[in-house]
Amino acid sequence: MRARPAPAAVTVPADWPATEAEARSVQDTLRARVDLTGPGPEVATGTATGVDVAYDDVSGLVAAAAVVLDAATLEVVEEATAVGPVSFPYVPGLLAFRELPAVLAALAALTAPPGLVVCDGYGVAHPRRFGLASHLGVLTGLPAVGVAKNPFTFTYEPPGERRGDQTPLTDGSEEVGRALRTRTAVKPVYVSAGHGVPLDRAVAHTLHLAPAYRLPETTRHADALCRAALKAAVTGEADQG
């Protein structure tokens, strides 16, 4: 099997927030730049890139993966990883500050255009309306969506049992995302617009990217790759792909 490229190094910017107050201030400043109208790329065109991270609490390391797929065929075009120190403590609602330096390093290591970026997490379905997908999209200018495994703090009615059934994910009267059934009779995922893509199109992309499993292929590939990169970093074993 072919060897994967060595992980990129993660550099935490000197001005990266160090406290909860500083992080929330950054969210407040950048949130105004989120674009929820798009239109974003057409479904099944160009490329789609999954990003995900894995942590090792003992070593204090985080590994990020970025996996580019051909959006039409869902075949892997390119993949990259980055490994480095965790850049922020665990605080609910501020997870992007732990993950973004590593994710940005993995994306920067790619040579193929990322196209649509699919995050394993939230966009505007976030208490401060600025989850990882929104934060990443604003910083990079890339269209981004969030596809989460859990609904965080929001409410929804269970969608129908068939693939494609969906219901609003709400905070009071505000729709912040959708509970979406990607497989018949399997629990839904939770889709939200991140940046540069409207919610309806984010849902359409998610369905296209998840033809056989609950999670999008972008997320499945990125999840496996970041876990392998973290294991290799912690154990010192070379990752052969």
Side-chain angles (χ1 to χ4, degrees), residues 75-160:
E75 295 179 353
V76 175
V77 173
E78 188 183 6
E79 55 189 28
T81 59
V83 176
V86 175
S87 56
F88 198 81
Y90 172 77
V91 180
L94 300 178
L95 294 183
F97 294 94
R98 283 171 64 86
E99 300 181 359
L100 270 171
V103 170
L104 291 170
L107 285 171
L110 296 171
T111 59
L116 176 76
V117 179
V118 181
C119 298
D120 179 24
Y122 308 98
V124 297
H126 179 274
R128 298 173 64 80
R129 303 298 184 269
F130 200 65
L132 175 65
S134 295
H135 203 151
L136 178 63
V138 167
L139 290 183
T140 63
L142 295 169
V145 301
V147 182
K149 302 179 185 74
N150 300 296
F152 210 178
T153 60
F154 303 112
T155 59
Y156 67 99
E157 293 294 327

Side-chain angles (χ1 to χ4, degrees), residues 15-43:
D15 61 350
W16 200 247
T19 67
E20 294 181 34
E22 291 172 354
R24 292 192 178 97
S25 177
V26 170
Q27 287 181 328
D28 290 340
T29 298
L30 296 182
R31 185 172 53 236
R33 293 166 51 186
V34 172
D35 172 13
L36 299 181
T37 59
E42 295 282 347
V43 175

Side-chain angles (χ1 to χ4, degrees), residues 176-187:
V176 296
R178 302 267 173 81
L180 173 67
R181 198 82 66 179
T182 51
R183 292 193 68 196
T184 296
V186 173
K187 64 182 180 179

